[in-house]
Amino acid sequence: MLQPPAPPPWMRWLPALFVAGVLAVEPITPVDWPVSFLLIAVPLLAAFAHGPVAVATITVLTVLFEGVLAGTPCCAGRSVGYLWDRHYVASYVSTALVGAIGTLLAAHRTRRERTLATVRSVAETAQRVLLRPVPHRLRDICVETLYLSAAAEARIGGDLYEAVPTAYGVRLLIGDVRGKGLVAVETAATILGAFREAAHDEPDLTGVAHRVERSMSRRAEELAGDEADERFVTAVFAEIPDGEPVVRIVNCGHPPPLLVAGGRVVELDATDPSPPINLGVLAGDGYHQDVVALHPGDRLLLYTDGVTETRDRSGTFYPLTDRMRAWSALEPRDLLDHLHGDLLEYSGGRLDDDIAALAASRMADGPVRGDAAGPA
């Protein structure tokens, strides 16, 4: 059985700290104003961090302790006769009733935490299946990834990425599914499955985009009502061919990749943008490909709009391009680690959308043939 995460130490020790506080105040209070009645709250405090058996045990010990305080002259000058005073008897009964309620609450909380632990485990398993780990090096290409979920309870959403070594070079994908929840996960699975097959079969990157579009359209036709029309994915397909200092890009309605080259950061805007996946009827004469220089040491960053739409407390969007200029010398892993930390700091630790990023760089020791024009 999956175990829920342990509560923080201060929460586990809160009942004991509360009792210590009562003990510190009890000797200095008048006999007619015994603060020991506050011990009624101890079972409820225990219910926040302990299981039902522990709460029931703490309740019994609390009732006994109330009796000790009621009949101990050294604490507040009371005689043993106070032990069965009606006010103290009412305190014992009230503590027992609150303890019973606390025991039930603890049982309910424990069940909910175990259910949540199971849900998170399923989400993590789904993430490993869909967003399987990408090798850090594919031939002469270094590839690193980053994924941040805006939902604390579920660690997978509609953002996706993939990198596949093929006979045509290393092919990359990053995408953002419209919507959230299981619908987004199912759509992401469809896109990733289609890409993993098409990347090996299609000699041209635009052909890969067409194959993914057809797979998504077939899946959408199986859906009823307006749900089919609402399922679309913005995506960037990229291809880094073996032995050529270029990267080929097909942008399907997605934020433009960034190229870090020679200390400069350039947004690779599409010269002829293509529509999102599953909106292929708008493509007209098809998907369009751009070719940009990618020399050894240059870095390519693909990302989802969760990055650029992250806001600070004043509502200002995250200035990705400006931030990247300060990190232009970093390797892909360090670059994404800096991006991760900076996003959390910029947003105050509160992300409003899922975030995915993929950084790629051609290794300096890789074979490169010919040359190409630099980025515009």
Side-chain angles (χ1 to χ4, degrees), residues 67-93:
V68 171
L69 291 180
T72 304
C74 66
C75 292
R78 303 183 183 93
S79 66
V80 178
Y82 276 95
L83 182 63
W84 300 111
D85 183 89
R86 65 181 183 276
H87 297 293
Y88 287 99
V89 172
S91 177
Y92 308 151
V93 174

Side-chain angles (χ1 to χ4, degrees), residues 129-132 160-162 164 173 185-201 208 211-213 215-216 218 237:
V129 172
L130 293 180
L131 302 181
R132 60 192 183 189
L160 57 96
Y161 57 75
E162 184 59 289
V164 180
L173 166 67
V185 174
E186 182 186 8
T187 304
T190 301
I191 295 295
L192 287 169
F195 174 75
R196 288 164 182 163
E197 290 296 320
H200 291 282
D201 298 339
V208 175
R211 277 275 296 275
V212 174
E213 164 73 25
S215 295
M216 186 62 207
R218 283 196 298 269
F237 300 88

Side-chain angles (χ1 to χ4, degrees), residues 279-304:
L279 297 179
V281 294
L282 306 176
D285 56 347
Y287 292 93
H288 301 277
Q289 173 180 278
D290 291 309
V291 181
V292 180
L294 184 71
H295 298 285
D298 294 347
R299 291 154 186 80
L300 180 70
L301 179 68
L302 311 179
Y303 57 93
T304 58

Side-chain angles (χ1 to χ4, degrees), residues 171-192:
R171 285 177 165 172
L172 312 172
L173 166 67
I174 195 160
D176 188 356
V177 179
R178 182 188 185 279
K180 302 292 181 184
L182 293 177
V183 172
V185 174
E186 182 186 8
T187 304
T190 301
I191 295 295
L192 287 169

Side-chain angles (χ1 to χ4, degrees), residues 57-69:
T57 302
I58 290 172
T59 300
V60 173
L61 294 176
T62 301
V63 172
L64 293 175
F65 190 58
E66 287 175 337
V68 171
L69 291 180

